[in-house]
Amino acid sequence: MEKAGRLDRLFTGTPMGWPVVIVFAIVAGLVTAVLNLIPALADTSATDIAVSYEWWLVFGVIIATNCKGPVEAALKVFVFFLVSQPLVYLVEMPFLGVGVWGYYPYWLGATVACLPAGALANQMRERGALGTVALAMALAMLAVLAGLYAWKAWFAFPRHLVTTAFTVVAMFVLAAEFGRPGKTRLAMFALAVALLVASVAYQVWGVPESSTAAPLPEGTWSAELDGPGSVEVNGDQLVYNTSTLGAGTVTCTDASGRTIVFDVGMDGSRVPYVRQRG
């Protein structure tokens, strides 16, 4: 009971006035930017907050469920993102250049979407039908990231392990807090588990194939692959296609018997590569 009470105080027990929302937004933006500027933290759980939404979704839920009504929640979540996200790029710009603003259109779209999303998330505190829909949507969004980061953590352990754990824990905390006691809460736990399994399965088997290419010298070439994926010679290019994590080699041979060897594969970010050996 004490544990549930603490969750209630976090999500529904502290009316969040405008000054708190603004300070929260400034702190979140500053911390995100600073973490993202530390080279040693690149591509780790510490900088995942700068590229994906797991923390931001939880922040939004905390704000929305500490508001009295849906209109207040919509406006406060909207303003939270309207302040925090541009602040990230303003802090990063002197160090990374104006190109960082190229990422903002995505977050601007997400900020506008916070108007209806914040209003809907506010209904989670009522634990009614609309709140259940909002909770299910939040669980689905977190599950997508949980599967993605579990994949990344597996490939580059222990990188992204904290993000994976946080996202999974957040799913079950939200299900425990906003699922109505009884069968509905059990159903939310079951939904969380099913979504996690589906997300991991998609990362393992469902990601669509992608390709990359490397130039070949003039001539008539054939290619033989040893490893995952498939290859083809398309004119003066070697084209490598794969949807599977792993590495291999491609041996290209022309009509005169000349050979070129390429290292091919796909890394933990699902990016295929083709590199000619020296």
Side-chain angles (χ1 to χ4, degrees):
M1 293 298 292
E2 183 183 355
K3 207 178 267 189
R6 287 176 183 169
L7 288 178
D8 285 340
R9 286 195 293 273
L10 174 63
F11 288 107
T12 61
T14 308
M16 193 165 286
W18 280 106
V20 175
V21 172
I22 299 300
V23 171
F24 189 8
I26 292 172
V27 171
L30 287 175
V31 170
T32 299
V34 170
L35 289 173
N36 205 38
L37 288 172
I38 300 174
L41 298 179
D43 194 32
T44 68
S45 293
T47 54
D48 289 338
I49 189 174
V51 297
S52 59
Y53 57 80
E54 63 287 337
W55 283 96
W56 300 100
L57 184 147
V58 173
F59 294 161
V61 170
I62 290 173
I63 295 170
T65 56
N66 279 293
C67 293
K68 293 181 180 179
V71 174
E72 178 189 351
L75 292 174
K76 285 182 175 176
V77 175
F78 172 75
V79 170
F80 172 79
F81 279 87
L82 192 64
V83 172
S84 61
Q85 291 303 318
L87 182 58
V88 172
Y89 301 113
L90 283 172
V91 174
E92 291 179 343
M93 186 170 62
F95 304 93
L96 303 179
V98 295
V100 296
W101 288 96
Y103 297 100
Y104 186 56
Y106 165 82
W107 287 105
L108 179 61
T111 300
V112 174
C114 283
L115 287 166
L120 183 60
N122 175 259
Q123 298 302 300
M124 291 167 63
R125 61 183 285 146
E126 306 299 331
R127 297 170 178 82
L130 276 178
T132 301
V133 171
L135 174 57
M137 291 174 63
L139 294 179
M141 292 174 69
L142 289 171
V144 169
L145 291 181
L148 173 62
Y149 280 112
W151 173 268
K152 289 186 174 184
W154 178 266
F155 176 78
F157 185 86
R159 290 172 180 262
H160 309 292
L161 184 62
V162 173
T163 298
T164 305
F166 169 79
T167 308
V168 173
V169 169
M171 291 179 67
F172 288 97
V173 167
L174 292 180
E177 172 63 12
F178 296 111
R180 284 179 291 179
K183 292 183 178 179
T184 302
R185 183 170 292 166
L186 290 176
M188 289 297 102
F189 283 135
L191 177 62
V193 172
L195 288 169
L196 284 171
V197 171
S199 182
V200 171
Y202 174 77
Q203 290 298 324
V204 176
W205 295 293
V207 174
E209 189 173 74
S210 55
S211 64
T212 189
L216 288 168
E218 186 177 345
T220 302
W221 294 88
S222 62
E224 183 177 348
L225 170 66
D226 180 14
S230 63
V231 290
E232 60 180 321
V233 176
N234 186 1
D236 60 352
Q237 287 192 320
L238 171 68
V239 181
Y240 176 63
N241 310 283
T242 186
S243 62
T244 305
L245 177 69
T249 59
V250 176
T251 303
C252 295
T253 307
D254 73 357
S256 66
R258 179 174 46 158
T259 63
I260 302 175
V261 178
F262 295 87
D263 292 309
V264 299
M266 174 176 276
D267 63 24
S269 299
R270 296 286 190 183
V271 178
Y273 61 85
V274 177
R275 303 186 188 112
Q276 182 176 343
R277 291 187 179 178

